[in-house]
């Protein structure tokens, strides 16, 4: 198990998280230049095995990356996908016939025992197994038949930031590789756009000042943006301790909309594309209820909301926008936490490797 990272006693609050958020453009650039060839090779070898179905396995932040991978594989590759329930293997010892199935396990550390056990069980059940980690020497990488290294470098902050965006890009490149594509050209602008977003931290600081006293938040999106809503909610909860609920826009209309009022903010991630179009009726209903609506997305949508952050997504494919969408929300979690007098580097009750079983 990795040791819990500890900042020097005189380090300013949030130093580790700030440094790792700032590394994201370089991580994306490295993955495109150095990791993409290996990912294409792995994808080609797996494609030759012709898997019929895909299962994705993960916990925490990596579970949100796996959900993004599910959207990619279903939409771009046309493979039916599911998210696994690991307790069926680890608690109930269920034995499954996984012939012709690809099982992808996503983990920053590759060290959680339930992820390793599930991967071993999947391999024993006849599955093609792929581990996507930030640690090529991890037990998970050893347990899987194939491995993809997201090349994010050592992550010292407890809240995962650079590993999340690296996992998203690695999964995108893998999905493109499965269907015989490359993906690097379409993703080539991401490092520069990420740099531009990070340079606008003052805008996020103003949002944080507005919502520092929020007692709860709701986050919503549709399609490719839905994993972003879930990951942003997780970041807000684990750093600032604000209860943050995440819903698909469609699910929000099926009951939870009743709790929305003008007291607490609703953050909508509006992906520029079909997902954003599908979310529009939800945005209209939220406005009708007088919600304090914060939009992360295209400038026109931000202008029509109570507040927000306009993303530079012109010419960026919809399936790649989540890699940019999460960055201002990472910054928001960081800035809200500082504004509330807490240290995002030291969330209570968290460790870098969570050993679930």
């Amino acid at each position: 198990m990795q040791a819990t990272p500890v900042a020097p006693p005189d380090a300013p609050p949030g130093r580790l998280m700030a440094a790792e958020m700032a590394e994201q453009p370089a991580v994306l650039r490295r993955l495109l230049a150095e990791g993409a060839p290996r990912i294409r090779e792995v994808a080609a070898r797996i494609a030759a095995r012709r898997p019929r179905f895909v299962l994705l396995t993960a916990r925490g932040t990596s579970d949100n990356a796996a959900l993004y991978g599910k959207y990619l594989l279903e939409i771009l590759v046309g493979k039916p996908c599911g998210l696994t329930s690991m307790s069926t293997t680890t608690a109930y010892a269920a034995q499954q016939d996984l012939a012709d199935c690809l099982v992808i396990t996503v983990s920053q550390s590759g060290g959680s025992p339930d992820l390793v056990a599930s991967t071993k069980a999947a391999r024993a059940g006849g599955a093609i197994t792929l581990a996507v980690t930030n640690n090529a020497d991890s037990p998970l990488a050893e347990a899987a038949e194939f491995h993809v290294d997201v090349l994010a470098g050592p992550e010292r902050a407890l809240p995962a930031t650079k590993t999340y965006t690296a996992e998203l890009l690695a999964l995108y490149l893998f999905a493109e590789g499965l269907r015989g594509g490359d993906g690097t050209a379409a993703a080539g602008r991401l490092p520069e756009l990420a740099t531009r977003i990070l340079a606008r931290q003052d805008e996020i600081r103003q949002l944080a000042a507005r919502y520092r006293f929020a007692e709860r938040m709701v986050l919503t999106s549709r399609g490719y943006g839905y994993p972003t809503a879930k990951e942003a909610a997780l970041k807000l909860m684990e750093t600032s301790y604000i209860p943050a609920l995440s819903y698909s826009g469609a699910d929000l209309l099926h009951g939870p909309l009743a709790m929305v009022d003008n007291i607490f903010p609703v953050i909508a991630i509006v992906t520029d594309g079909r997902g954003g179009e599908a979310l529009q009726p939800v945005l209209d209903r939220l406005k009708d209820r007088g919600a304090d609506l914060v939009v992360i997305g295209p400038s026109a949508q931000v202008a029509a909301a109570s507040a927000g952050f306009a993303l530079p997504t012109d010419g960026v494919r919809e399936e790649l926008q989540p890699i940019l969408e999460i960055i201002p929300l990472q910054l928001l979690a960081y800035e809200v936490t500082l504004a509330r007098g807490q240290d995002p580097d030291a969330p209570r009750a968290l460790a870098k490797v969570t050993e679930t079983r």
Side-chain angles (χ1 to χ4, degrees), residues 135-345:
N135 185 356
D137 297 322
S138 63
L140 179 60
E142 182 180 352
E145 182 179 359
F146 298 98
H147 177 250
V148 163
D149 190 339
V150 302
L151 301 177
E155 187 170 65
R156 299 181 61 214
L158 283 171
T161 54
K162 65 179 183 177
T163 51
Y164 179 71
T165 47
E167 286 172 351
L168 297 191
L169 180 54
L171 288 166
Y172 167 76
L173 294 172
F174 176 73
E176 282 290 335
L178 273 186
R179 63 176 186 167
D182 182 301
T184 55
R189 295 180 59 216
L190 292 177
E192 182 259 329
L193 294 175
T195 300
R196 285 167 53 184
I197 292 171
L198 288 163
R200 295 164 57 194
Q201 190 162 352
D202 285 348
E203 295 178 47
I204 299 296
R205 196 169 292 121
Q206 292 174 18
L207 276 181
R210 178 181 176 122
Y211 297 116
R212 62 180 293 192
F213 297 115
E215 294 184 1
R216 59 179 174 173
M217 293 184 182
V218 168
L219 295 96
T220 188
S221 190
R222 290 291 304 271
Y224 285 113
Y226 179 41
T228 306
K230 292 176 67 67
E231 172 61 12
L234 177 60
K235 283 292 157 286
L236 284 161
M237 288 188 287
E238 70 183 359
T239 57
S240 71
Y241 316 141
I242 296 174
L245 306 173
S246 58
Y247 295 97
S248 157
D251 288 334
L252 187 63
L253 297 183
H254 284 266
L257 183 68
M259 70 175 171
V260 173
D261 54 27
N262 62 356
I263 302 300
F264 63 91
V266 178
I267 300 176
I269 296 92
V270 184
T271 304
D272 189 6
R274 294 185 182 183
E277 293 168 6
L279 189 65
Q280 188 58 54
V282 182
L283 301 178
D284 294 339
R285 291 286 298 277
L286 289 168
K287 292 172 186 175
D288 289 345
R289 290 193 58 81
D292 185 358
L293 180 62
V294 182
V295 166
I296 309 297
S299 56
Q301 292 283 0
V302 172
S306 305
F309 186 94
L311 288 171
T313 54
D314 288 348
V316 179
R317 292 181 182 177
E318 181 177 0
E319 58 266 27
L320 286 168
Q321 291 176 36
I323 299 171
L324 302 176
E325 290 167 348
I326 191 58
I327 296 175
L329 292 162
Q330 293 171 345
L331 291 170
L332 181 63
Y334 171 84
E335 291 291 350
V336 166
T337 302
L338 291 179
R340 290 164 70 93
Q342 296 152 200
D343 185 355
D345 283 344

